[in-house]
Amino acid sequence: MGTETVKQFGVTKPLSTAGPTKADTRRNLKLEKFFFDSGLYESELEAAKRVQVLDRIKKIVVDWVKQLTHFKGYTDQMVKDANAVILTFGSYRLGVHSSGADIDTLCVGPSYVYRDDFFYSLHTILARIEEVTELQPVPNAHVPVMKFKFDGISIDLLYASVSLLVVPEDLDISDVSLLYNVDEATARSLNGCRVADQILKLVPNVEHFRTALRCLKFWARSRGVYSNVTGYLGGINWALLVARVCQLYPNAAPSMLVSRFFRVYTQWRWPNPVMLCEIEKGELGFAVWDPRTNPKDRTHHMPIITPAYPCMNSSYNVSTSTLRVMVEQFQFGNKICEEIELNKSNWAALFEPYLFFESYKNYIQVDVLAADIDDLRAWRGWVESRLRQLTLKIERDTCGKLLCHPYPHDYVDTSKNCSHCAFFMGLQTEQEKVVQEGHQQRFDVHGAVDEFKLSVNMYMFWKPGMDIYVSHVRRRHIPVYVFPDGYRKRHPATLNLQAPAERSPYQDADRNVSGSEDEILKRKRSPVQDKEKGRPEKKQYISPERQDSTSHVILSGQSHCPLVECVGVKCGGG
């Protein structure tokens, strides 16, 4: 009697090959019902529109390549044969995109059409098309991209020039020969499509993978940990984590995979890497992730390795602080899933939004201003891409004692006439080294803020009106426009506290606030209300946290945040 060979997915044997029980099947049905009730699936009409938009973009880039072929003096036959292909990757390629999501696309062109052509001549063509709006080229990004909306559909378009005179319609993106004679930016641009295809080949059940990934992406957004640029995880990172769990539990139903996801990553010993397959060295000379030979790779906190050559760490943006936040959220997810399995909770509890503005007593607020909405869109994206550096610099300057919780969402104050948005970071003292109650713990972040502002102001597309302001703000003085209902839900202990008036960053930005301890206490005993609006303005520089404590921020220039002074453990969450 012969033995049946079972295909092994992944670099280790599965943890369990068990299939779903009746209880698992019931939970799975409830999970899928929750998805439909929550509107996570796009309509057939929207799906058809996406296909039409991709067809239009395909025609535009082919015409563009033909025009360039003619302009560069190639023969009529070359012009006739000239071609480009449009490929998708990310959530759309994996089949887990939701309604309103953008489409990650890659344009693969011939060897004589360069990236500069893409960002100049194709940009000019797109700018003239009526359906194209919010066109934003980002040529100097780690992966150069052109962002725009086409007939309301958000598109991220990359470009890769490969070593082919004519790009065939049936181009095999997984063919490693496409990487010959290309630079690293082109290799990174090709990598998105190559990785997406590999993921779908390396999971035991594609449909179960898709359902579980859709669930975990929705969860990550709800809990504020979905953002690669901010130092958390983006779509490809979550896909790789889910795919690994699918390999460890090849016969599990999606509801089981979600539960096992939290169980696995609550116990994962970072920085041990997550890998779907062995790392391929290759012979083309591209650097691959290898902490044994690359010292920089040893500094990565949460390595999640891509499965296509050249294998890279897709989560190099993760910091000590953001890893801490994600581990805490994994623990939350694990607890809820355990309760669901005991019929003590339901799926809706897993996706409860994280109450960020109730979780900390101290925050950093970064206000972003521009002359108009178009300038703000570009400026906001640049500032957001640098926020991760502010987190790292604060960790460095406080020796890791002051941890940041950057929140991957921007907020708009609609009452302001200028184009504006704001980002926030929660501040928390290191739990193992908290000081005793009644003792002050001072954190000088002057240098970190100044360095951050310097790096932001190096923006090569800067225009007049683009500015940022950084300030320390207490929880009770968080501006009301961040709250969903437009007002702060007051805690019983703060109902009788009045908020002192404060200076807005929109005027008098260079004003220095200082004073003796007696003067500060006097101001605390005589707060001034904004009677006209009935609420405090955005910035709270002097905060009446407690009558028996002195807590203030000394301002210097435009940074507004050189010194955060905490009383006892008052910087902790609570």
Side-chain angles (χ1 to χ4, degrees):
M1 185 176 179
T3 58
E4 184 179 352
T5 302
V6 179
K7 181 179 178 181
Q8 176 181 310
F9 291 87
V11 294
T12 63
K13 292 182 179 180
L15 294 177
S16 172
T17 57
T21 64
K22 290 183 179 180
D24 291 323
T25 302
R26 287 195 298 269
R27 281 191 289 270
N28 198 63
L29 291 173
K30 290 180 180 178
L31 178 61
E32 293 191 351
K33 182 179 184 301
F34 178 84
F35 287 165
F36 280 105
D37 292 345
S38 301
L40 291 187
Y41 296 97
E42 69 177 355
S43 66
E44 292 183 6
L45 190 63
E46 185 177 356
K49 184 178 179 180
R50 288 179 184 273
V51 173
Q52 293 171 2
V53 165
L54 289 172
D55 286 343
R56 282 291 309 280
I57 294 174
K58 160 72 173 174
K59 184 177 186 309
I60 289 168
V61 298
V62 169
D63 290 345
W64 163 64
V65 168
K66 288 182 181 296
Q67 289 176 24
L68 273 180
T69 306
H70 174 73
F71 178 77
K72 294 187 178 188
Y74 288 91
T75 64
D76 290 345
Q77 185 61 45
M78 278 289 290
V79 172
K80 182 180 178 181
D81 294 340
N83 190 37
V85 297
I86 290 290
L87 303 171
T88 62
F89 60 102
S91 62
Y92 188 80
R93 173 69 183 93
L94 293 175
V96 295
H97 61 288
S98 56
S99 178
D102 60 2
I103 307 179
D104 294 310
T105 55
L106 169 69
C107 173
V108 182
S111 58
Y112 57 86
V113 177
Y114 308 118
R115 192 179 302 116
D116 286 347
D117 296 319
F118 174 77
F119 280 108
Y120 290 98
S121 60
L122 181 60
H123 176 272
T124 302
I125 291 170
L126 290 172
R128 294 172 181 165
I129 297 174
E130 184 179 356
E131 296 97 330
V132 174
T133 59
E134 301 181 17
L135 181 60
Q136 180 188 355
V138 193
N140 297 314
H142 186 65
V143 181
V145 61
M146 194 117 67
K147 295 174 174 285
F148 57 93
K149 285 187 177 180
F150 196 106
D151 198 13
I153 302 292
S154 294
I155 304 291
D156 281 2
L157 181 61
L158 313 183
Y159 181 71
S161 173
V162 295
S163 299
L164 297 170
L165 282 176
V166 178
V167 179
E169 278 296 316
D170 60 349
L171 180 73
D172 180 9
I173 196 68
S174 64
D175 187 349
V176 74
S177 67
L178 289 179
L179 297 174
Y180 283 114
N181 297 320
V182 302
D183 60 17
E184 290 196 2
T186 300
R188 287 192 291 266
S189 298
L190 290 165
N191 206 35
C193 294
R194 291 165 52 78
V195 167
D197 284 1
Q198 277 295 100
I199 289 174
L200 295 175
K201 292 175 183 177
L202 291 170
V203 293
N205 186 310
V206 172
E207 287 307 313
H208 287 181
F209 161 74
R210 284 173 171 159
T211 303
L213 178 55
R214 189 181 295 274
C215 174
L216 269 304
K217 289 180 65 173
F218 183 51
W219 173 84
R221 291 185 189 278
S222 300
R223 304 302 296 178
V225 289
Y226 190 102
S227 173
N228 181 282
V229 70
T230 313
Y232 298 106
L233 303 181
I236 192 62
N237 311 123
W238 292 108
L240 292 168
L241 290 184
V242 173
R244 183 66 184 122
V245 174
C246 290
Q247 293 179 336
L248 294 172
Y249 299 92
N251 299 317
S255 62
M256 296 169 63
L257 291 171
V258 171
S259 176
R260 301 306 182 270
F261 176 94
F262 293 115
R263 185 180 300 177
V264 167
Y265 293 116
T266 296
Q267 300 175 19
W268 196 274
R269 294 183 179 180
W270 305 105
N272 287 324
V274 172
M275 300 188 299
L276 301 187
C277 58
E278 296 293 345
I279 294 177
E280 180 185 347
K281 293 296 182 182
E283 299 177 356
L284 299 181
F286 289 104
V288 298
W289 188 81
D290 188 350
R292 295 169 300 180
T293 59
N294 303 330
K296 191 174 180 181
D297 293 345
R298 297 172 202 157
T299 67
H300 295 169
H301 298 283
M302 191 182 189
I304 303 171
I305 312 304
T306 56
Y309 177 79
C311 299
M312 312 172 192
N313 175 22
S314 64
S315 52
Y316 57 86
N317 280 351
V318 173
S319 69
T320 301
S321 288
T322 52
L323 176 58
R324 173 187 60 87
V325 172
M326 284 188 282
V327 169
E328 288 175 356
Q329 292 304 324
F330 290 155
Q331 291 168 346
F332 164 83
N334 190 51
K335 179 176 179 293
I336 297 298
C337 284
E338 287 176 350
E339 291 176 354
I340 291 173
E341 291 183 350
L342 294 173
N343 295 318
K344 293 181 178 180
S345 191
N346 54 37
W347 288 114
L350 182 65
F351 304 101
E352 281 290 325
Y354 178 66
L355 300 178
F356 175 71
F357 291 107
E358 295 183 14
S359 298
Y360 300 92
K361 290 190 175 180
N362 293 271
Y363 296 82
I364 285 180
Q365 179 173 338
V366 180
D367 289 286
V368 184
L369 287 75
D372 57 51
I373 193 67
D374 290 329
D375 284 358
L376 179 65
R377 186 179 302 112
W379 181 233
R380 172 207 169 279
W382 170 252
V383 173
E384 185 181 24
S385 73
R386 311 309 298 170
L387 285 175
R388 185 176 63 89
Q389 296 300 321
L390 179 58
T391 301
L392 295 175
K393 294 177 193 306
I394 290 175
E395 288 178 359
R396 177 201 67 195
D397 289 359
T398 63
C399 300
K401 293 180 180 179
L402 186 63
L403 301 177
C404 293
H405 181 163
Y407 202 59
H409 186 70
D410 64 316
Y411 297 87
V412 178
D413 184 356
T414 55
S415 69
K416 300 297 180 184
N417 292 327
C418 61
S419 298
H420 159 267
C421 69
F423 294 97
F424 292 84
M425 293 183 181
L427 299 177
Q428 185 176 42
T429 53
E430 188 182 32
Q431 292 299 315
E432 292 78 16
K433 298 180 181 179
V434 292
V435 296
Q436 293 182 352
E437 184 70 28
H439 290 265
Q440 291 181 339
Q441 191 168 11
R442 300 163 64 92
F443 297 101
D444 185 357
V445 296
H446 189 163
V449 169
D450 284 350
E451 282 186 46
F452 166 69
K453 286 174 64 66
L454 183 63
S455 69
V456 167
N457 288 326
M458 292 173 66
Y459 184 50
M460 63 186 301
F461 300 105
W462 184 90
K463 294 180 181 179
M466 292 180 175
D467 214 338
I468 63 166
Y469 301 94
V470 184
S471 64
H472 163 246
V473 59
R474 295 283 189 176
R475 179 175 63 195
R476 67 189 62 206
H477 301 122
I478 290 289
V480 294
Y481 60 79
V482 307
F483 298 101
D485 299 322
Y487 65 91
R488 182 184 296 103
K489 295 181 179 179
R490 294 189 173 185
H491 297 279
T494 65
L495 287 177
N496 296 322
L497 285 178
Q498 293 176 308
E502 52 208 17
R503 303 294 296 187
S504 166
Y506 305 95
Q507 52 184 314
D508 218 6
D510 291 329
R511 181 173 178 266
N512 288 323
V513 178
S514 61
S516 68
E517 181 172 329
D518 289 338
E519 289 172 337
I520 294 168
L521 288 174
K522 183 177 180 181
R523 279 182 287 220
K524 288 184 183 182
R525 289 190 289 266
S526 304
V528 180
Q529 281 186 307
D530 183 345
K531 296 180 181 179
E532 187 174 328
K533 294 183 180 179
R535 55 183 170 83
E537 297 177 15
K538 334 180 30 302
K539 291 285 186 300
Q540 187 61 43
Y541 299 141
I542 302 170
S543 307
E545 182 71 22
R546 290 169 51 127
Q547 288 295 324
D548 59 349
S549 70
T550 303
S551 182
H552 62 281
V553 177
I554 302 173
L555 307 185
S556 176
Q558 291 186 349
S559 293
H560 292 293
C561 195
L563 185 69
V564 178
E565 181 176 291
C566 307
V567 179
V569 292
K570 295 303 181 184
C571 274

